[in-house]
Amino acid sequence: MYDLIIVGGGPSGSAAGRLAGKRGLRTLLIEKEVFPRYKACGGALSEQAMSYLDFPIPDEMRERDIYGARVHFRGGVIERHKEYRIATLVTRSILDSYLLEEARETGIEIRMGERVVGYEEHGDHVEVYTKDNVYQARFLVIAEGSRGSLKTRIRRRDRMDEYGICMVAEIEEANETIDKYIHDAIDIHFGATYMGYGWIFPHEKYYSVGIGGLTKYLPDPKKTMTDFLHANGFHGQYKLRAGFVPVGGIKRNIVGSRVVLSGDAAGFVDSFYGEGIAYAIRSGQIAVEVISRAILHDEGLDILKEYESICETEFGENLKYSLMLSKLMYRFPGIFFTILTSNEEVIDRFLEVPALKRTYRDYIRWLIPRVPRYLLRQRTK
Ligand SMILES: Cc1cc2nc3c(=O)[nH]c(=O)nc-3n(C[C@H](O)[C@H](O)[C@H](O)COP(=O)(O)OP(=O)(O)OC[C@H]3O[C@@H](n4cnc5c(N)ncnc54)[C@H](O)[C@@H]3O)c2cc1C
């Protein structure tokens, strides 16, 4: 009997595993893939994400530190840089392996290449099934990412308008060429998809190029991606990979009696620009903070309900306002993206959000009253 079983070794499962090990919980983490495994991602690790880790990201993993953004919309382009770092770019397979090793170091058991196919909650424990084994634990954290189905016993399936689909390609290029294209900033193309955007991120000897948008409005993501690649001068044959992002906000059930959902499985992703690693890490940690109180301090099962309220307090507001911003922007794209790509202050302040210098709520409250003025200024130009 384990104290805790964690399903999934992505950022959320690893963060949960590391804290569980540090707290002395007898923990088993089960991951269906053998790491290092490919994960479709832009590889942007925000300052917020790094702030949750109790160890630094090694220099050799940080391919480029990002200080700014170049934003495009209907022919308009604006580039702004901050004096402080807002994110760093990493390769996901390397990052995830590293995070998992940091969890293993605390003494937890990790089984790779074993898929969890189901679980059953009993009065005093949970039974977890894989093809060949049955495991038992007092608590279960499901950190299976966006496409798993274990979560649906607790949380209803997302509707088409509640998750986004992304396509991404890693395109090899010499660093000198990348530096000429863009140096220490990310390239964002609004309008490349409806309710989403295209990106070109400069990594070490490759670009991450991708598009993402609400599944409902992206009937042929492969074509949209090919059009985006061609429009930006990429004409080779590239391997295109798809990934899914839950972007419908966080109003969903995320705890059972002995089970907690974390990361993408709980729907913790920024709806506006799809950042999820920060929330995956922090929610995995909060899950274990709550579970370890139940185990180590013998607090009742009701304590699990606190998981939802702590997540809500710590980052729920950011996710709620990111959804609000996304709805506003995409309902009135002409107005908002024109402002975003024509006014330095608007983009400057937006960059403060991933850098943890400003919340979404502050940003929206600052932006809304200024919209008529910016619009007027734009029209009289
Ligand atoms: C194309 C794309 C680009 C993105 N770009 C960014 C970005 O630049 N920055 C950012 O912050 N976020 C980005 N995101 C979002 C980010 O990738 C996710 O929010 C993040 O990976 C969530 O972490 P997680 O640990 O919850 O899930 P995951 O990282 O998906 O990890 C889940 C793990 O669980 C394992 N698993 C699943 N089912 C089972 C099972 N039944 N049994 C055992 N193991 C299982 C999987 O193999 C996987 O390793 C992007 C997403 C996509 C799709």
Side-chain angles (χ1 to χ4, degrees), residues 182-193:
I182 196 161
H183 180 56
D184 56 1
I186 50 175
D187 208 29
I188 303 280
H189 297 244
F190 290 112
T193 66

Side-chain angles (χ1 to χ4, degrees), residues 155-369:
R155 184 192 134 174
R156 65 166 172 76
R157 269 180 207 286
D158 291 332
R159 294 188 311 261
M160 285 277 273
D161 59 350
E162 290 178 322
Y163 64 93
I165 183 166
C166 304
M167 296 227 77
V168 61
E170 283 81 29
I171 300 178
E172 284 182 25
E173 189 51 273
N175 278 340
E176 303 76 59
T177 313
I178 297 177
D179 280 338
K180 272 189 213 141
Y181 178 72
I182 196 161
H183 180 56
D184 56 1
I186 50 175
D187 208 29
I188 303 280
H189 297 244
F190 290 112
T193 66
Y194 178 64
M195 297 287 277
Y197 62 87
W199 73 83
I200 303 175
F201 289 176
H203 282 261
E204 172 70 17
K205 296 190 183 154
Y206 74 91
Y207 295 107
S208 163
V209 182
I211 54 112
L214 264 192
T215 311
K216 196 175 159 186
Y217 301 112
L218 258 179
D220 190 351
K222 204 169 166 186
K223 177 172 183 319
T224 308
M225 175 69 172
T226 309
D227 291 347
F228 181 66
L229 285 165
H230 290 171
N232 288 285
F234 298 107
H235 294 284
Q237 294 289 321
Y238 310 113
K239 190 169 182 133
L240 307 183
R241 326 246 207 160
F244 294 87
V245 187
V247 289
I250 58 167
K251 280 257 158 281
R252 304 159 174 120
N253 196 21
I254 49 172
V255 286
S257 63
R258 291 183 170 271
V259 183
V260 174
L261 308 183
S262 69
D264 275 13
F268 292 152
V269 177
D270 178 306
S271 305
F272 183 61
Y273 63 106
E275 176 190 11
I277 301 174
Y279 306 109
I281 292 172
R282 187 61 196 128
S283 60
Q285 293 167 341
I286 297 171
V288 172
E289 281 165 13
V290 170
I291 288 168
S292 61
R293 275 171 63 191
I295 294 174
L296 303 173
H297 306 293
D298 227 7
E299 296 187 37
L301 290 181
D302 273 356
I303 186 85
L304 254 58
K305 299 264 180 274
E306 283 193 22
Y307 171 66
E308 277 182 277
S309 52
I310 299 172
C311 290
E312 175 72 39
T313 311
E314 284 205 19
F315 55 75
E317 190 177 84
N318 243 14
L319 297 184
K320 194 171 84 192
Y321 278 92
S322 76
L323 182 63
M324 192 186 287
L325 183 65
S326 142
K327 284 185 174 163
L328 259 178
M329 290 281 197
Y330 295 110
R331 180 128 169 68
F332 307 104
I335 296 176
F336 279 99
F337 290 123
T338 305
I339 290 172
L340 194 69
T341 48
S342 59
N343 190 295
E344 294 179 346
E345 212 182 356
V346 175
I347 190 102
D348 243 8
R349 294 205 178 223
F350 183 71
L351 292 177
E352 294 170 1
V353 177
L356 272 184
K357 309 265 183 213
R358 177 181 294 276
T359 65
Y360 261 112
R361 192 180 68 156
D362 292 346
Y363 181 68
I364 292 178
R365 286 187 170 177
W366 174 86
L367 179 65
I368 299 294

Side-chain angles (χ1 to χ4, degrees), residues 16 68 91 109 112 122 125 128 135 150 174 178 241 260 264 280 339 341 348 365 379:
T91 295
E109 198 180 321
M112 291 218 220
H122 297 284
H125 72 280
V128 174
Y135 301 98
L150 299 171
I178 297 177
R241 326 246 207 160
V260 174
D264 275 13
I339 290 172
T341 48
D348 243 8
R365 286 187 170 177
R379 286 201 177 131

Side-chain angles (χ1 to χ4, degrees), residues 8 11-12 31-32 37 41-44 92 116 144 264 275-277:
S12 200
E31 164 58 54
K32 70 179 167 61
R37 56 94 173 90
C41 188
R92 269 304 289 277
V116 173
E144 61 180 350
D264 275 13
E275 176 190 11
I277 301 174

